[in-house]
Amino acid sequence: MQADLLIRHAAQVVTPVGRRPLRGKALGSLQVIPDGAVAVREGRILAVGPTAEVEARLREVTEVLEARGQVVVPGFVDPHTHLVWAGDRAAEFERRLQGATYLEILQAGGGILATVRATREASVEQLRAETRSRMDRMLLHGTTTAEAKTGYGLAPEAEFRLLDVIHDLDATHPLDLVPTFLGAHAIPEEHRADPEAYVALLVEAMLPAVAARRYPVEGPWRAPWTDGRAAWFCDVFCERGAFDLDQTQRILEAARRLGFGLKVHADEFVPSLGATPLAVALGATSVDHLVSTPPEHLALLARSETVGVMLPGTSFGLGSGHYAPARRFLEAGGALAIATDLNPGTSWCESMPMMMALAARYLGLTPAEALAAATLNAACALGLGHEIGSVEIGKWADLVGIDAPDYRHLAYRYGVNLVHTVIKRGKIVVREGRAVYRGTDGARPGGDRP
């Protein structure tokens, strides 16, 4: 065999295995290969196994990467982010520390609506620059694919600008973005007196316009599965003060008719609104948050094909002691993924390893479960488990080299970045903790590991 790249002599190559999410007790089932190697050809994994066995099968190698003392794992997949916004909400963070709640701030016109105002006022150039900076930090922390939601425009042209930014950056940055339309993030200020008018705008105008919108599939870093659609998924924030269950159902049903995959923000604060059973009934790809999900709804989700995405960074960011019931979900046989919920209000964190550390401490996951939830299961929450999420022959070579002797250090250590190397579809894009990919203008981004 001929390989373009050989990563060899890793202390461990560690990966979940399969194309479907690992469920229940199987979530912690990992393949651990001491003194491991991975061979890559034309961007895909050609061979994986002990170094001696892989090298014996190769007759020619273009580039060799020594990984002694490192652990090689799949590239992290972040299946829930609000990536594109302008401004910050540091003042609201201080207010929460003084006792104000998230819902109180939202109802007073802050929270999401404050970011909507800042994002609407920002230029496309500002949005692109701020978002690219966040993507660089994500890449330096080992994330190779992420979902990117709109939702800080909440008006047709403003939401289209966010989609424009997502698609431009997807084409020109190594981090692959999966676009989600979240026009149903909150009721915008101009519709506060008549929320039904905004729901009608979403169903009758915005969703059809997004479904009809197309983007070029060319670009130096375009994902191979890009098909030009403006958004793969439609998401709705079903919550008191946002969208009620009836409104959520109407929006999701309209989206499904137009061919969108479905996602739902469910049970973040208020239990028993019914968003989780609705998501299951409509065949949603994932239902996310699940902090307050009643046991019977959690059991229903666990029996379904819908992935449950839990966001420990959000509870941590809110200073809450209330986390999603991951162990109960796994004991019921559920398919669990974790994500950052990257956003300016409750979880401004670009690090999936930090989510793994939080998941181990507050969701009760083992280090093995946390790794699978951040890779294969996270990929399945985006419908991409057949392409990425594990180190297996035929999948894209999205790989991360960790500067540690054992994969458990990912959950064990926190507050530092252990990512040494990132490989995106067989190309080295982070080396020794520094980004080395070239943008469309030929320039390399600067900056050490954060």
Side-chain angles (χ1 to χ4, degrees), residues 16 18-22 27 74-81 143-147 178 232-233 263 285-286 288 307-311 335-340 352 355-356 369-386 388-390 395:
R19 296 182 165 217
R20 295 178 57 78
L22 302 179
L27 182 62
F76 303 126
V77 179
D78 192 343
H80 184 125
T81 85
T143 298
T144 52
T145 302
E147 187 234 27
V178 176
W232 283 27
F233 298 100
K263 292 179 172 288
T285 302
S286 76
D288 302 16
V307 177
V309 179
M310 296 185 178
L311 312 168
L336 170 65
I338 58 174
T340 62
M352 283 297 285
M355 296 306 110
M356 294 170 63
E369 290 171 336
L371 178 59
T375 54
L376 178 58
N377 280 26
C380 292
L382 297 177
L384 290 172
H386 61 296
I388 56 174
S390 59
K395 287 194 176 184

Side-chain angles (χ1 to χ4, degrees), residues 385-424:
H386 61 296
E387 295 277 19
I388 56 174
S390 59
V391 186
E392 296 184 83
I393 294 172
K395 287 194 176 184
W396 290 104
D398 291 0
L399 307 167
V400 174
I402 304 298
D403 192 7
D406 188 292
Y407 76 92
R408 290 171 291 190
H409 282 239
L410 282 165
Y412 168 46
R413 298 166 67 178
Y414 60 93
V416 294
N417 187 9
L418 298 176
V419 172
H420 180 278
T421 306
V422 179
I423 296 167
K424 182 64 187 179

Side-chain angles (χ1 to χ4, degrees), residues 69-348:
Q70 297 178 35
V71 175
V72 174
V73 298
F76 303 126
V77 179
D78 192 343
H80 184 125
T81 85
H82 301 261
L83 182 63
V84 188
W85 78 80
D88 66 72
R89 304 217 297 264
E92 290 181 10
F93 171 67
E94 187 172 50
R95 284 184 61 195
R96 287 202 306 273
L97 293 177
Q98 296 167 344
T101 69
Y102 177 91
L103 291 178
E104 286 170 348
I105 292 170
L106 178 63
Q107 290 164 358
I112 294 167
L113 298 179
T115 300
V116 169
R117 290 190 292 273
T119 302
R120 286 179 176 181
E121 293 169 1
S123 67
V124 170
E125 291 73 20
Q126 178 186 347
L127 289 171
R128 187 184 295 118
E130 292 188 16
T131 304
R132 178 179 285 276
S133 178
R134 287 188 280 272
M135 291 173 69
D136 281 343
R137 287 190 290 273
M138 294 170 76
L139 189 71
L140 287 169
H141 282 93
T143 298
T144 52
T145 302
E147 187 234 27
K149 302 180 191 292
T150 67
Y152 291 125
L154 305 188
E157 290 306 315
E159 286 288 294
F160 294 155
R161 286 201 316 149
L162 301 187
L163 287 169
D164 291 346
V165 170
I166 290 169
H167 281 270
D168 175 71
L169 291 173
D170 179 53
T172 58
H173 194 284
L175 176 60
D176 285 335
L177 299 180
V178 176
T180 292
F181 176 66
L182 182 58
H185 197 189
I187 303 295
E189 290 175 311
E190 61 268 26
H191 288 282
R192 298 297 281 183
D194 187 8
E196 283 298 316
Y198 185 62
V199 174
L201 178 65
L202 282 166
V203 169
E204 297 169 12
M206 293 173 73
L207 276 169
V210 173
R213 200 173 182 89
R214 289 292 182 271
Y215 287 87
V217 297
E218 297 82 13
W221 287 105
R222 275 287 193 197
W225 51 76
T226 299
D227 58 8
R229 285 180 291 170
W232 283 27
F233 298 100
C234 172
D235 195 350
V236 180
F237 184 20
C238 184
E239 187 58 69
R240 185 178 298 162
F243 295 85
D244 65 26
L245 187 65
D246 177 70
Q247 292 167 336
T248 299
Q249 181 169 352
R250 281 184 279 147
I251 295 165
L252 291 177
E253 287 180 342
R256 188 171 65 168
R257 288 193 295 270
L258 290 166
F260 290 92
L262 305 182
K263 292 179 172 288
V264 186
H265 284 57
D267 308 319
E268 182 175 1
F269 300 107
V270 179
S272 302
L273 292 181
T276 297
L278 174 65
V280 170
L282 293 177
T285 302
S286 76
V287 57
D288 302 16
H289 281 293
L290 304 170
V291 176
S292 301
T293 306
E296 63 275 17
H297 293 178
L298 202 67
L300 177 69
L301 176 62
R303 295 192 298 269
S304 76
E305 295 300 311
T306 301
V307 177
V309 179
M310 296 185 178
L311 312 168
T314 308
S315 295
F316 181 81
L318 287 168
S320 170
H322 190 194
Y323 285 78
R327 289 256 57 96
R328 181 183 297 165
F329 184 51
L330 291 176
E331 288 164 4
L336 170 65
I338 58 174
T340 62
D341 194 19
L342 173 60
N343 74 82
T346 59
S347 186
W348 192 332

